[in-house]
Amino acid sequence: TLAGAHSVAPIAARATTATVNQANAQNSQIVGYSIYSAGLVAEAEGTRVTNATTSEGQTINPTVTQGGNGTAMVSGGVAAKTSSSMDDTTDPNSINNRVRRFFGLAPRKTQVEVPTVIENCYVQYSSNGQTQNVGGLVGFAENTQLSNSYVYGQIKASDLVGSLAAMVGDDVQFDHCYYHDATGNQIFGYDGNGNSASNTSSFKGSA
């Protein structure tokens, strides 16, 4: 059982330029109010989440538990909020560094933007409608790439709800992501930027 906080999730409240691989969150219970609440990572910045699952018997409910009173502003089955991070890197073949190497100087680092990547994730997720903005994979996504992931469950929200994401910002790509037809009636709760969503569809079966 996790108590409400600004950001709360079973694996990490906040991850920056990290890798979460083969994580499995089971029987997660979050009670109390939080800004960001998620099945694996509450806030992911430039983080890679791969081969991960969330489950609680039939469903996982990281925002409002069975018999609990937890609510959140933004919630997602994998992450509540995803974005990029800036990372220092060195390109030894850049013109600047080749010149510096010629004069015996150390190479200079440059900053590059690293998106968050969510791939090969399976989410069993349910919410009862008390949370404001709920997405099957991500609550609010920007600078994020999502691929080969599935959402299974029933998702409700008091404001925006999306089978894959509640709110979609800039530079978000969905590819081969699927959601159960009972999760909701639309892929995104809101997408005002015309982001890419290819090979994305619902599948049928018992919820």
Side-chain angles (χ1 to χ4, degrees):
T1 299
L2 303 174
H6 180 276
S7 302
V8 59
I11 303 301
R14 186 172 184 177
T16 302
T17 319
T19 298
V20 177
N21 185 36
Q22 295 184 340
N24 183 10
Q26 293 185 338
N27 301 311
S28 298
Q29 297 184 11
I30 296 174
V31 296
Y33 181 80
S34 59
I35 304 297
Y36 300 111
S37 176
L40 293 172
V41 180
E43 296 181 77
E45 301 173 342
T47 293
R48 179 177 292 272
V49 183
T50 61
N51 306 309
T53 61
T54 64
S55 62
E56 183 188 351
Q58 296 301 316
T59 62
I60 182 172
N61 194 340
T63 54
V64 181
T65 65
Q66 298 168 349
N69 61 354
T71 61
M73 288 186 64
V74 182
S75 180
V78 173
K81 179 184 178 184
T82 60
S83 60
S84 60
S85 67
M86 301 304 296
D87 189 27
D88 290 332
T89 186
T90 301
D91 182 2
N93 294 317
S94 69
I95 294 176
N96 183 45
N97 281 335
R98 280 187 284 179
V99 171
R100 293 178 64 84
R101 187 166 60 244
F102 178 80
F103 288 102
L105 301 174
R108 178 169 293 170
K109 291 184 177 181
T110 57
Q111 283 198 323
V112 295
E113 188 173 25
V114 180
T116 285
V117 175
I118 295 173
E119 61 184 1
N120 301 325
C121 291
Y122 179 80
V123 175
Q124 292 186 10
Y125 182 56
S126 293
S127 60
N128 69 1
Q130 295 185 34
T131 297
Q132 294 182 35
N133 306 290
V134 181
L137 293 175
V138 178
F140 173 68
E142 61 180 0
N143 299 307
T144 301
Q145 300 170 3
L146 303 97
S147 63
N148 301 315
S149 296
Y150 292 79
V151 180
Y152 190 90
Q154 294 179 320
I155 300 173
K156 300 178 182 178
S158 62
D159 193 359
L160 297 174
V161 61
S163 297
L164 297 180
M167 298 174 286
V168 181
D170 294 329
D171 299 322
V172 179
Q173 297 178 351
F174 290 84
D175 184 38
H176 287 89
C177 292
Y178 305 95
Y179 55 95
H180 189 270
D181 58 3
T183 56
N185 58 6
Q186 54 188 3
I187 299 175
F188 307 131
Y190 172 77
D191 174 20
N193 299 292
N195 288 279
S196 172
S198 58
N199 302 304
T200 301
S201 64
S202 65
F203 61 90
K204 295 185 179 296
S206 59

